[in-house]
Amino acid sequence: MAHREHPDHKDGPAGHGEAGHAGHAGHAHGVSADADRRYLLGALSLIVLYMLAEVAAGLAAHSLALLSDAGHMLTDAASIALALLAMRLAARPARGRWTYGLKRAEILSAQINGITLLVLVVLFVIEAVRRLIEPPAVQGGLVLATSLAGIAVNIGAAWLLSRANRTSLNVEGAFQHILNDLWAFIATAASGLVVMLTGFARADAIASLIVAALMLRAGYALVGESWKIFLEGAPAGLEPARVGSALAAVPGVVEVHDLHIWTITSGFPALSAHVLVSPGLDCHAVRQRLEHTLRDELHIDHTTLQVDHAAPRLLTVGEVPPDDAPGPEDSPGAGDGAGDHCPAPHGETHRSS
């Protein structure tokens, strides 16, 4: 008899109803959604106001480094704005065809932000190379003063974002961008000082290349992480082989297959699996032990487990008699456990020792 259980439909601590949501709320570190929005709005205001001033200063000083910094800050502002939008969308309840709600909006906005960073890197590198060949006159004093002000603004914005829920890929991405901006402003301030003291105008283009390198690093990380989630890859720290072995080691479990682990949105891992247990055991009791293992040891609250009794053939220990030598129908996953229930099981099969 098969037992298909979804935690949304169960009572008690193993469910993803009241207790399940409490488990996810633990990722918020005590910060409410309203507080998150206030911190993000404060950081967004600081960044936008300074970015406009920096664009004006960069045009007046003929500084590509300042304009590169402003471009980087534009992506920071876009990241925070998209995070605010994603928060609003993700808060909508699941209904109709959107069975998870719109929680993936956060990941989509993170991907857009990362791609924008990579596009800006190409533009700034092309312009920096051109300025290395033919450097324009740069007002080093204005570059230095503007960069020092940018350092102060970034420290303020980073402090605000550090108080928000940084388990969000968007919030953490924006926070890391602002930290990168600090290094970028330091590089730009150094270039302004060099230009002011020595007249070496190419220092400005060199600083813009440093900013572009920081943008490349941040953009690549954001795009890579968001693609991993879109392609349903297992989240970091939850290797399927380790999880499968842990489940197979639960007393009463004979085999685990069709194991899938993915991330719905930041800090929200999910798992589904088909589990075979020893004949005569209570499938519900084994399922509860599995859910305790997943929740308490692996920190996965959102689980869907199908639990069946294993066929006696799967429990046979020792050599197979010659008359029963395995044929094509006895290949792994066909007629000896997984195949009894799943015509085409996916992934690796994990068996108890």
Side-chain angles (χ1 to χ4, degrees):
M1 177 179 178
H3 300 269
R4 298 176 184 268
E5 297 289 349
H6 192 285
D8 285 347
H9 301 157
K10 299 194 296 291
D11 298 324
H16 183 65
E18 182 178 349
H21 284 296
H24 292 304
H27 294 293
H29 304 292
V31 179
S32 70
D34 287 340
D36 272 348
R37 281 191 283 269
R38 287 197 303 271
Y39 293 134
L40 266 65
L41 282 171
L44 179 62
S45 300
L46 277 176
I47 288 172
V48 169
L49 290 174
Y50 179 77
M51 180 188 68
L52 295 174
E54 188 176 26
V55 169
L59 293 173
H62 305 291
S63 170
L64 180 61
L66 284 181
L67 293 177
S68 300
D69 283 336
H72 197 178
M73 294 195 82
L74 175 62
T75 62
D76 291 346
S79 174
I80 296 173
L82 287 170
L84 288 165
L85 176 61
M87 281 181 184
R88 186 172 295 276
L89 292 176
R92 294 182 179 179
R95 59 165 62 103
R97 69 176 61 188
W98 308 108
T99 56
Y100 281 120
L102 296 175
K103 297 185 184 300
R104 281 279 173 91
E106 177 209 17
I107 309 304
L108 180 61
S109 66
Q111 188 177 70
I112 292 171
N113 182 47
I115 292 172
T116 303
L117 272 174
L118 297 180
V119 171
L120 287 173
V121 165
V122 174
L123 297 176
F124 287 142
V125 167
I126 292 173
E127 181 63 16
V129 171
R130 189 184 70 81
R131 290 191 173 211
L132 281 173
I133 297 171
E134 298 180 3
V138 176
Q139 298 182 29
L142 183 55
V143 172
L144 177 61
T146 306
S147 299
L148 293 176
I151 291 172
V153 168
N154 271 263
I155 289 174
W159 178 80
L160 287 170
L161 287 180
S162 69
R163 297 177 62 84
N165 177 16
R166 286 171 51 201
T167 60
S168 163
L169 184 60
N170 264 337
V171 175
E172 178 63 16
F175 180 75
Q176 292 299 327
H177 284 191
I178 289 172
L179 290 184
N180 284 336
D181 269 342
L182 281 174
W183 290 109
F185 275 118
I186 291 172
T188 304
S191 74
L193 183 62
V194 169
V195 172
M196 186 175 64
L197 295 179
T198 69
F200 181 61
R202 286 185 175 87
D204 182 76
I206 293 171
S208 68
L209 288 174
I210 294 173
V211 175
L214 294 172
M215 292 169 67
L216 176 63
R217 177 176 174 271
Y220 180 81
L222 271 180
V223 171
E225 188 64 26
S226 59
W227 268 114
K228 184 193 297 182
I229 292 174
F230 277 126
L231 294 176
E232 306 290 357
L238 290 175
E239 295 299 326
R242 183 174 68 88
V243 174
S245 297
L247 295 180
V250 171
V253 173
V254 175
E255 177 181 296
V256 177
H257 56 267
D258 274 357
L259 174 64
H260 301 286
I261 312 171
W262 69 101
T263 301
I264 296 170
T265 189
S266 299
F268 192 169
L271 176 146
S272 66
H274 189 185
V275 182
L276 302 181
V277 303
S278 299
L281 292 183
D282 184 345
C283 288
H284 292 291
V286 175
R287 174 181 53 74
Q288 288 177 349
R289 287 198 289 269
L290 288 166
E291 287 169 349
H292 283 299
T293 297
L294 289 168
R295 185 182 65 244
D296 299 338
E297 298 180 16
L298 300 171
H299 309 293
I300 307 175
D301 298 324
H302 192 94
T303 61
T304 304
L305 300 174
Q306 177 185 342
V307 182
D308 291 297
H309 286 124
R313 176 184 179 83
L314 186 62
L315 304 175
T316 303
V317 179
E319 294 185 1
V320 179
D323 292 341
D324 293 329
E329 70 276 13
D330 296 317
S331 60
D336 67 341
D340 291 343
H341 304 280
C342 305
H346 301 107
E348 185 179 354
T349 296
H350 308 273
R351 291 179 176 166
S352 63
S353 58

